[in-house]
Amino acid sequence: MEKELIQLIDISKSFDGQMVLDDLNLNIHENEFVTLLGPSGCGKTTTLRILGGFTSPDSGRIIFDGTDITNIPPNRRQLNTVFQKYALFTHMTIAENIAFGLKIKKKSKSYIEDKIRYALKLVNLEDYGNRMPGSLSGGQQQRIAIARAIVNEPKVLLLDEPLGALDLKLRQEMQYELIRMKNELGITFVYVTHDQEEALTMSDTIVVMNQGYIQQIGSPESIYNEPENAFVADFIGDSNIIPATMIEDKLVNILGTRFACVDTGFGRNKPVDVVIRPEDVNLVAPDQGAIQGVVTHLIFKGVHYEMEVMAAGFEWLVHSTTLFPVGKEVGIQVDPFNIQIMNKPESEDEEAVAIDI
Amino acid sequence: MKSTAKNIYTALIFLFLYAPIATLMVLSFNASKTRSKWGGFTFKWYSSLFRNDEILEALGNTLLIAFVSALVATVIGTIACVAMNSMKRRSRTVLMGITNIPMLNAEIVTGISLMLLFISMGLRFGLGTILLSHITFNIPYVILSIMPRMKQLNPSTYEAALDLGASHTTAFFKVVFPDLLPGILSGFLMAFTMSLDDFIITHFTKGAGIDTLSTKIYTEVKKGIKPEMYALSTLIFVTVLILLLLVNMAPAKKFRDVSERRKS
């Protein structure tokens, strides 16, 4: 892992008596793509604004590259922000927008021109220097906002839901663009989004947040495959979250049936939650499955079929490329390494929040 | 058929609205001194108007008061808008309501109350009191014309400027001010127009020895109407008309910008 660049230490913030961040601690490394992921109101944007200097924390410290920047105003921080609604200066041309920060820093004319050319090339909008922001599409405006930020050579680029206003196709394109730009620039990206797919695609590290607390920090793989609690499991992708009892190490009782699993250290006869991803539920012939059930719903999703199977009093969500028609009796079988065991939530803050997508 | 009827109806409305002013304009070019007879076309009332020192002095006063009061009101109004914009919604709504009241208030009430205030403050009536009262009644018009622009502003642009290294002052003047400029200009023109054609409030706050065009015309008319007054009134009407056109063209341009953006 590269060296630590930013440390957020014990950051708390409340607005009008409402706690938004509670004792948040987070380390961000050099050249890392960190995504703050969570539902609206989870404190992710506030965290970003505290990093950018637009909001000051009630308590706690921000260490940037070894110095305390908690009380440094935004115009003297070595980070730049790409705002949600682009925030381009509409009365200036694209080139003037990009030159804004450099002119304030009193850079020479030729330096500024070089930088503008470089930035426009980086975002693939080479001939747009003399256009006005209003004549550009949303995706193009967002690229300009990125160009305007990166010409100042920040060590960290903060991005506040930059793709939120774009349509699906453009959003996917821009995800790849962002990864490319980050690799080319070799700087740290701190990215805020509520879109779990965006987070999984682009990040080195995902910070899942809810109600002012960090729920889990990890690589996209570990967040997806080994969610630490029901909130994370539910927020990242679809999942079956089933109350169960850990009988002993590597053996769990799910809905009255014993399943082999790979987790240890939960104790004996301990109530837990298990997470099983829909694509990890294997539908087989009734006599081959551990639990028997009936298909109740069927939807074609393109890549796969989405089915709901009523079995042992629980509605299982199943993704499969093989079709089982509604009313068909099936058996359910799950491989041991696909059963993820989680402790029951200890506080309300960790409680799963129903997400309607 | 239907559209013909519609056109006739519209024409009638305009006839009723503008017939008096048209009469005035025509009479201002009438060489005969009596109103009942057309004595041929002439510019002589206009030229005698511009040889009348009293009227020229009143014109000078009017323009000076209109310009200075509009300028001061625009500065105060702009600052007020910036401040109100960063308030919480509820206090902003309350404050907007309070600033709107003077516009709806009967002018004679505003005039008398300003006069009483100035008397109780022991001010000497003259140019100063007229200016003060004009600035006062102009501020709401300025706020009314800037506030919509202010609400359209993307609050992030100011932060973006700070983020790119600008100080608060630079960020305001380079980023927020240019976006507000159309509103500020139309606010200024509106205030200028309001001041230009005010009679009642000026009448109560001017004191003796100073006149604006409107109060001058009022005194002249009491002595008997002279054709110079037709010429003067025509000039005032045309000036106000031009100013109003300018005020209305600023927002029209703004909407065109927006619709062009929508198209692209």
Side-chain angles (χ1 to χ4, degrees):
Chain A
M1 195 53 107
E2 310 231 5
K3 81 165 194 177
E4 275 177 7
L5 186 61
I6 302 175
Q7 288 165 280
L8 295 175
I9 303 167
D10 296 335
I11 300 282
S12 293
K13 178 74 190 175
S14 46
F15 290 110
D16 299 329
Q18 181 126 22
M19 197 64 132
V20 179
L21 293 176
D22 194 358
D23 260 345
L24 180 115
N25 283 283
L26 179 64
N27 293 335
I28 295 167
H29 299 86
E30 230 167 35
N31 206 4
E32 192 179 14
F33 196 128
V34 182
T35 300
L36 306 180
L37 174 68
S40 44
C42 73
K44 56 189 194 300
T45 296
T46 306
T47 309
L48 197 78
R49 289 178 61 82
I50 285 175
L51 272 173
F54 303 111
T55 304
S56 46
D58 297 338
S59 64
R61 289 185 303 145
I62 310 147
I63 310 291
F64 183 90
D65 212 3
T67 25
D68 190 327
I69 60 159
T70 318
N71 297 314
I72 304 277
N75 47 4
R76 297 203 345 250
R77 293 190 181 192
Q78 274 186 320
L79 9 85
N80 285 110
T81 310
V82 176
F83 291 88
Q84 193 168 9
K85 288 179 196 147
Y86 325 135
L88 295 181
F89 309 135
T90 46
H91 58 282
M92 299 183 194
T93 65
I94 297 303
E96 284 166 347
N97 263 281
I98 297 174
F100 189 86
L102 300 172
K103 274 187 188 153
I104 282 170
K105 293 187 188 79
K106 305 231 180 331
K107 301 284 187 190
S108 74
K109 211 168 172 195
S110 60
Y111 177 86
I112 294 178
E113 272 167 21
D114 283 350
K115 274 287 182 185
I116 293 174
R117 212 172 304 123
Y118 164 76
L120 286 175
K121 197 166 158 39
L122 182 82
V123 297
N124 280 331
L125 291 172
E126 270 139 310
D127 299 324
Y128 284 70
N130 293 322
R131 300 267 294 262
M132 298 303 281
S135 68
L136 268 58
S137 71
Q140 290 169 332
Q141 289 193 40
Q142 192 55 273
R143 285 162 197 246
I144 297 303
I146 294 170
R148 185 179 66 178
I150 57 108
V151 288
N152 301 289
E153 299 180 349
K155 288 194 175 172
V156 180
L157 191 64
L158 308 176
L159 302 106
D160 185 9
E161 307 216 16
L163 311 185
L166 307 181
D167 63 58
L168 181 68
K169 183 89 181 133
L170 204 54
R171 209 153 65 214
Q172 286 167 343
E173 266 174 45
M174 279 299 286
Q175 290 174 14
Y176 294 111
E177 286 280 297
L178 280 171
I179 298 172
R180 178 184 65 79
M181 285 180 212
K182 193 203 150 275
N183 292 337
E184 209 162 309
L185 293 164
I187 59 172
T188 307
F189 274 35
V190 181
Y191 191 96
V192 159
T193 185
H194 61 263
D195 185 319
Q196 43 105 2
E197 190 228 313
E198 247 171 60
L200 292 173
T201 312
M202 295 189 287
S203 320
D204 300 318
T205 305
I206 297 179
V207 180
V208 185
M209 295 179 71
N210 189 32
Q211 301 190 358
Y213 293 95
I214 291 177
Q215 304 288 329
Q216 188 172 357
I217 303 179
S219 67
E221 289 89 346
S222 70
I223 296 269
Y224 187 86
N225 291 329
E226 294 140 35
E228 276 170 19
N229 59 41
F231 173 80
V232 177
D234 199 41
F235 195 75
I236 312 283
D238 295 326
S239 51
N240 296 292
I241 301 171
I242 311 167
T245 312
M246 199 70 183
I247 299 167
E248 53 183 57
D249 280 356
K250 301 190 180 184
L251 189 63
V252 62
N253 179 336
I254 303 173
L255 305 168
T257 309
R258 287 167 176 239
F259 280 85
C261 64
V262 292
D263 292 85
T264 57
F266 283 87
R268 287 176 157 272
N269 294 320
K270 172 115 196 289
V272 291
D273 281 330
V274 299
V275 175
I276 302 169
R277 295 288 179 190
E279 63 271 25
D280 294 333
V281 179
N282 301 323
L283 294 186
V284 292
D287 52 327
Q288 284 165 21
I291 302 181
Q292 283 72 40
V294 180
V295 178
T296 54
H297 282 99
L298 171 68
I299 302 167
F300 177 57
K301 285 276 196 179
V303 187
H304 56 75
Y305 294 97
E306 182 174 296
M307 284 164 281
E308 278 170 19
V309 176
M310 196 67 193
F314 184 83
E315 197 140 78
W316 298 67
L317 188 68
V318 183
H319 290 172
S320 168
T321 48
T322 323
L323 179 142
F324 292 86
V326 172
K328 171 122 178 134
E329 285 196 19
V330 292
I332 287 176
Q333 185 255 318
V334 187
D335 291 329
F337 52 84
N338 282 333
I339 297 175
Q340 166 72 15
I341 312 285
M342 305 179 303
N343 280 311
K344 283 266 187 203
E346 280 162 17
S347 69
E348 216 177 279
D349 300 313
E350 288 177 25
E351 201 99 32
V353 173
I355 311 290
D356 294 314
I357 297 172
Chain B
M1 184 59 216
K2 203 174 164 189
S3 78
T4 321
K6 210 153 69 183
N7 287 336
I8 291 172
Y9 185 66
T10 316
L12 272 176
I13 289 179
F14 275 98
L15 186 68
F16 277 111
L17 276 178
Y18 288 99
I21 294 162
T23 318
L24 176 88
M25 285 174 151
V26 170
L27 284 179
S28 76
F29 296 108
N30 184 4
S32 160
K33 249 194 158 178
T34 57
R35 266 158 279 173
S36 49
K37 207 173 80 204
W38 180 252
F41 184 85
T42 180
F43 274 119
K44 73 174 173 190
W45 308 123
Y46 286 87
S47 55
S48 76
L49 174 72
F50 283 104
R51 279 196 306 269
N52 185 333
D53 286 339
E54 279 182 29
I55 284 181
L56 286 186
E57 198 197 319
L59 176 71
N61 286 338
T62 306
L63 290 178
L64 178 75
I65 291 164
F67 183 78
V68 175
S69 72
L71 191 70
V72 176
T74 305
V75 173
I76 295 175
T78 308
I79 296 170
C81 283
V82 173
M84 273 156 74
N85 194 46
S86 55
M87 284 178 174
K88 292 209 174 105
R89 180 187 287 271
R90 187 178 296 172
S91 24
R92 189 173 61 207
T93 317
V94 170
L95 215 59
M96 268 311 265
I98 292 174
T99 56
N100 281 342
I101 290 172
M103 284 193 288
L104 305 171
N105 196 7
E107 271 189 58
I108 190 146
V109 178
T110 312
I112 292 176
S113 43
L114 279 168
M115 178 184 76
L116 291 175
L117 177 72
F118 293 152
I119 290 173
S120 67
M121 286 166 74
L123 294 181
R124 222 167 58 85
F125 281 67
L127 189 65
T129 45
I130 303 179
L131 266 178
L132 277 178
S133 52
H134 279 227
I135 291 168
T136 309
F137 75 71
N138 271 338
I139 291 174
Y141 292 99
V142 174
I143 292 178
L144 195 70
S145 114
I146 298 178
M147 214 53 196
R149 286 292 304 193
M150 198 89 209
K151 282 191 191 140
Q152 281 178 2
L153 281 188
N154 178 348
S156 305
T157 50
Y158 180 71
E159 290 187 343
L162 293 183
D163 186 75
L164 294 168
S167 66
H168 288 275
T169 325
T170 317
F172 178 77
F173 281 107
K174 289 231 162 144
V175 172
V176 180
F177 187 71
D179 275 349
L180 292 180
L181 201 56
I184 293 174
L185 281 181
S186 75
F188 175 83
L189 286 177
M190 189 116 89
F192 190 83
T193 317
M194 287 297 157
S195 169
L196 206 61
D197 70 4
D198 175 74
F199 167 71
I200 300 176
I201 295 174
T202 315
H203 182 72
F204 282 104
T205 54
K206 77 182 178 62
I210 184 163
D211 264 313
T212 65
L213 275 183
S214 54
T215 58
K216 187 76 200 162
I217 293 172
Y218 182 72
T219 14
E220 291 288 314
V221 166
K222 277 201 287 195
K223 287 188 238 161
I225 304 178
K226 281 188 268 172
E228 283 98 333
M229 289 302 119
Y230 307 152
L232 183 57
S233 306
T234 305
L235 287 178
I236 294 177
F237 173 75
V238 171
T239 314
V240 172
L241 186 71
I242 291 171
L243 285 177
L244 280 177
L245 282 177
L246 284 176
V247 171
N248 286 318
M249 255 144 76
K253 188 179 170 294
K254 182 179 75 198
F255 287 126
R256 206 162 54 235
D257 285 352
V258 171
S259 59
E260 270 167 18
R261 210 169 300 164
R262 293 258 163 78
K263 260 181 262 163
S264 57

